[in-house]
Amino acid sequence: MSKVRNLVVTAILGAAAFYLMFALEFPLPLFPTYLKYDPGEIPALLGAFALGPMAGLAVEVIKNALYFLSGKSTAGLVGVSANLVAGATFVLSAGLIYRWRHDTWGALTGLFAGSLATTLVMSLANYYVFLPLWGVPRNQLLPLLTGAIIPFNLVKGFLSALVTALFYRRVEAYILGKKSDWQKINLAPSRRPNQ
Amino acid sequence: MFRNIILGQFYPGNSILHRLDPRTKIVMTFVFMIILFMVNNFYGYLGFGLFTLWAVALARIPFAVVFRGLKSILYILFITFLLNLFLTPGDVLTTLGPLTITRQGLNLGLSMSVRLILLIILSSLLTLTTSPILLTDGLEALLKPFRRIGIPAHELAMMMTIALRFVPTLLEETEKIMKAQMARGADFESGNMLQRARALVPILVPLFVSAFRRADELATAMEARCYRGGENRTRMRELAFGLADYLAFLLTGLVTAGVIGLRFV
């Protein structure tokens, strides 16, 4: 597969990730509204599985840069960088594990470990950087962490992991360029009964 | 629809802020965001606030447009203000039932709110006055020196540009697919979280399959035109610093010095 094609595929995954994040984000029940679920992680995970962890990271960077430009981000640069840290952790750990063990088991472990790693990293990042940045007082940090941040990241990670696991195998051949939907069209005439 | 998503916040205009080099604006925004966290007293906030308002006026963007971005953070702003107000220990000002308001709490709550508001205004000022394409060009130029440590500046900018171009296409495609699946009885609106996540699959599979066909076509077109990355590429728009940019850098330096001065004097 050519280098240019990798670049273009990564870019389009980035556009898809941005679009999914922009159009389909919804607050999860029971959580404060600034913690929103968005399916933007899914294209990044596809990229990380098919083209390697660095492609996944690039998808995350593009997604967040576009999101910042779109002006929909309620938290400006801070929210975008929080999302980038979370997404990058998820995608890199899942991608690295899948690269090391390239089968269904590796993919599932990668997704699971990615969710856990994201939760861990986001707890630390929120405790030391993001929540203090928002001006949350020190004695409120731990309750917010255990009450909102940790469960939210686990739920978010598992949902994205589930969707990715459900359909990665069905699009893998298309990402890798081994199959394309025009092939069906080219093959069609020979299968027609009247020929 | 197309305009709304892609240009996002960009507010076309011809003010001095619109005409500044994107590199200048990106650097300035970052410097201001960092020094905003060094402000620690009333005069600092007052000065910085006036400076920000002056910048908004210079951009000739209606205040309503700038403050629209603030509406969405009102919730978090309000919560942190209340948390700070009631939960900071210190000299008691007044008591409301079980809650006490302290002087330190009031100070902290107010300064945190002002800081957040200024932070949002500053970052939206950048995206309001700079088109996405110019921002991408500016970022590429600024990231170029980091090529040595492995940051692929040109590739990232190229991917950003391609992504910007494909967002409307994907949007149209998704709408088509959703309608097609709904015509076949798919249900995206109801059900619990798990069911809603699963309902994404019949949208995502055809969406990605058609997206990758477009990727193939674009990659072939680029290779047919001998695309080979950023080396020796010539540009339609060359970025160039003008007098206004040097003045802007001077101003940034003065504001930084002022903030540091107010903090330590």
Side-chain angles (χ1 to χ4, degrees):
Chain A
M1 201 167 42
S2 79
K3 229 179 116 185
V4 176
R5 189 175 179 281
N6 274 352
L7 181 110
V8 176
V9 167
T10 312
I12 289 186
L13 284 172
F18 160 72
Y19 172 66
L20 290 176
M21 185 174 176
F22 185 92
L24 297 175
E25 70 175 1
F26 54 90
L28 292 174
L30 306 179
F31 288 109
T33 50
Y34 57 89
L35 295 174
K36 290 199 198 81
Y37 174 72
D38 69 80
E41 239 77 85
I42 297 166
L45 286 169
L46 294 188
F49 279 172
L51 310 173
M54 288 327 269
L57 184 64
V59 173
E60 285 289 340
V61 171
I62 295 168
K63 173 186 89 173
N64 280 297
L66 290 180
Y67 196 69
F68 176 63
L69 290 185
S70 78
K72 204 192 176 202
S73 161
T74 51
L77 266 186
V78 182
V80 168
S81 31
N83 190 299
L84 182 60
V85 173
T89 318
F90 197 168
V91 161
L92 284 182
S93 33
L96 282 173
I97 291 178
Y98 186 62
R99 171 181 275 182
W100 164 67
R101 191 150 168 180
H102 215 67
D103 55 17
T104 312
W105 191 85
L108 292 177
T109 326
L111 289 171
F112 187 69
S115 310
L116 292 186
T118 311
T119 309
L120 182 71
V121 169
M122 284 319 281
S123 308
L124 292 174
N126 269 297
Y127 189 81
Y128 288 107
V129 186
F130 294 121
L131 289 179
L133 214 61
W134 288 117
V136 175
R138 210 142 260 289
N139 50 8
Q140 289 301 302
L141 286 180
L142 270 182
L144 252 179
L145 220 57
T146 48
I149 307 285
I150 292 177
F152 169 75
N153 276 296
L154 280 178
V155 171
K156 183 181 167 177
F158 285 144
L159 273 183
S160 299
L162 175 79
V163 177
T164 311
L166 281 177
F167 85 109
Y168 174 66
R169 292 307 295 263
R170 291 168 64 183
V171 292
E172 188 184 27
Y174 295 97
I175 305 192
L176 295 173
K178 288 180 182 155
K179 210 168 153 190
S180 177
D181 60 348
W182 64 43
Q183 281 172 357
K184 270 188 220 154
I185 301 163
N186 292 342
L187 286 174
S190 60
R191 290 209 200 115
R192 266 189 220 146
N194 58 356
Q195 277 190 332
Chain B
M1 197 71 170
F2 160 78
R3 226 186 103 82
N4 283 345
I5 285 202
I6 285 297
L7 296 179
Q9 275 192 308
F10 179 53
Y11 191 90
N14 197 26
S15 74
I16 183 147
L17 275 194
H18 284 84
R19 278 179 279 127
L20 277 184
D21 191 289
R23 290 172 290 179
T24 316
K25 283 188 272 191
I26 295 169
V27 171
M28 281 176 84
T29 308
F30 272 91
V31 172
F32 286 142
M33 281 183 162
I34 293 165
I35 63 172
L36 184 54
F37 284 90
M38 296 175 66
V39 178
N40 67 345
N41 56 39
F42 175 74
Y43 293 106
Y45 280 115
L46 185 71
F48 210 102
L50 288 177
F51 174 75
T52 310
L53 288 181
W54 178 63
V56 174
L58 266 189
R60 301 213 184 161
I61 292 171
F63 277 77
V65 174
V66 179
F67 289 105
R68 204 166 47 200
L70 285 174
K71 235 189 265 166
S72 44
I73 62 152
L74 272 180
Y75 173 79
I76 187 169
L77 209 62
F78 192 60
I79 297 287
T80 48
F81 179 71
L82 288 184
L83 281 177
N84 277 307
L85 191 62
F86 292 123
L87 294 166
T88 314
D91 313 329
V92 177
L93 275 185
T94 172
T95 318
L96 294 169
L99 300 165
T100 51
I101 297 178
T102 61
R103 197 151 54 87
Q104 281 85 345
L106 190 63
N107 272 343
L108 199 63
L110 281 179
S111 57
M112 281 298 174
S113 310
V114 172
R115 178 184 288 178
L116 277 187
I117 293 173
L118 292 180
L119 199 66
I120 303 288
I121 295 183
L122 280 176
S123 72
S124 49
L125 212 50
L126 173 68
T127 45
L128 279 168
T129 60
T130 322
S131 74
I133 295 291
L134 274 179
L135 265 182
T136 310
D137 282 355
L139 271 180
E140 177 178 357
L142 286 173
L143 285 176
K144 223 171 208 160
F146 297 102
R147 275 203 87 90
R148 280 167 190 276
I149 59 164
I151 295 181
H154 169 76
E155 282 76 8
L156 269 180
M158 190 71 198
M159 288 193 286
M160 278 284 292
T161 316
I162 295 175
L164 275 169
R165 184 246 167 272
F166 271 98
V167 171
T169 315
L170 287 175
L171 184 141
E172 204 178 293
E173 199 85 23
T174 315
E175 267 171 14
K176 231 187 266 172
I177 294 169
M178 280 180 85
K179 280 184 187 145
Q181 299 289 30
M182 277 182 328
R184 290 164 176 78
D187 177 13
F188 305 118
E189 307 286 308
S190 59
N192 62 24
M193 241 155 44
L194 223 59
Q195 286 163 332
R196 281 179 71 169
R198 280 195 68 151
L200 283 176
V201 176
I203 307 176
L204 294 181
V205 172
L207 179 67
F208 283 120
V209 169
S210 80
F212 296 135
R213 186 195 55 222
R214 287 175 201 282
D216 280 334
E217 289 166 359
L218 179 60
T220 310
M222 283 166 78
E223 281 184 334
R225 287 162 181 76
C226 302
Y227 170 80
R228 59 198 162 91
E231 296 285 305
N232 301 327
R233 183 179 167 204
T234 54
R235 296 178 164 277
M236 189 172 157
R237 291 176 303 270
E238 296 276 355
L239 297 177
F241 286 125
L243 180 64
D245 294 292
Y246 294 113
L247 286 177
F249 280 122
L250 188 68
L251 188 69
T252 313
L254 286 176
V255 173
T256 312
V259 166
I260 293 173
L262 272 175
R263 187 188 168 100
F264 293 110
V265 173

